[in-house]
Amino acid sequence: MASESSPVRWLEAPEEHDYPAAADYLELIADQATIDALISLIHAVPVVHKKAKDILRAAQLALLPPDNPYVRRDLSKILAGKPLSPILMVRGDLAAGTPAQIADGYHRVCACYHTDEDLAIPVKIVGLHDVMAAPAETKPDSGKSAAGKSKSKK
C-alpha cells in the first residue's frame, strides 16, 4: 500500500513517447483518420484523476500480477519515488457496451492498483464523440488529415 512517506509520484503531463505508443495500440482497433484525430485531441485535453480500480473496470481488463515484468518495473519506480507518466485513454460507450481503452499505461495502472486500488491516477481521456465534435481538420473523413493536408478524392 502507498504510505504517506512513499506516495506514487506523477509527471505533470504524459511523456512524448506515450502518444506514438498509444497510436500504435489504437491501430489495432481504429482507422488511421480516427487515430490521428484521437491523438490530436488527447494532446489538448486536460489531465483528470480516476481511481485505479475504476479504470480497470471501465476498460474491462484483468489486473496483471505484480510479477509481470512491466508491472514489476513500474512498481520498482513507485518504490524508488520516480514519477510515472499519466495514462492515455479512449472513453467507452455505455449505451453501445463498448469498454474504455487504455491506449497507453495499462502496466502503470496495474502497478498502481497493487499499491492502492483507490489511488487517483492522472489520465487524459477522449471519446469518439469528441472526434465528431472537433474542428474539421481533426475529424476523420473531413477531407483533411490531422496534419491539415487535403485528402485526394478518387
Side-chain angles (χ1 to χ4, degrees):
M1 294 289 156
S3 69
E4 290 185 30
S5 62
S6 179
V8 176
R9 296 181 58 223
W10 296 98
L11 297 172
E12 288 189 31
E15 296 179 274
E16 271 312 304
H17 69 264
D18 292 338
Y19 296 98
D24 191 49
Y25 166 73
L26 292 171
E27 285 179 1
L28 298 170
I29 58 173
D31 62 81
Q32 192 61 52
T34 301
I35 295 163
D36 290 345
L38 286 169
I39 296 300
S40 178
L41 287 171
I42 210 162
H43 271 282
V45 298
V47 171
V48 296
H49 291 82
K50 300 294 177 189
K51 292 180 181 177
K53 65 183 179 185
D54 293 338
I55 293 170
L56 287 176
R57 287 171 52 206
Q60 298 179 2
L61 291 170
L63 174 64
L64 295 172
D67 62 350
N68 172 286
Y70 299 102
V71 174
R72 185 173 52 236
R73 178 197 63 200
D74 287 330
L75 283 168
S76 294
K77 287 181 181 179
I78 291 168
L79 291 173
K82 294 180 181 175
L84 301 177
S85 186
I87 309 308
L88 303 179
M89 292 188 70
V90 177
R91 183 174 288 107
D93 183 334
L94 182 63
T98 305
Q101 298 293 314
I102 299 175
D104 185 69
Y106 179 33
H107 298 99
R108 294 189 298 276
V109 171
C110 291
C112 290
Y113 185 101
H114 287 297
T115 303
D116 179 353
E117 70 180 37
D118 288 319
L119 184 72
I121 296 176
V123 182
K124 292 187 107 187
I125 307 172
V126 295
L128 289 177
H129 70 279
D130 299 324
V131 170
M132 295 307 154
E137 58 270 2
T138 61
K139 285 185 186 177
D141 302 319
S142 68
K144 292 185 176 186
S145 70
K149 297 178 184 171
S150 293
K151 293 179 188 174
S152 62
K153 306 263 183 192
K154 293 187 180 184

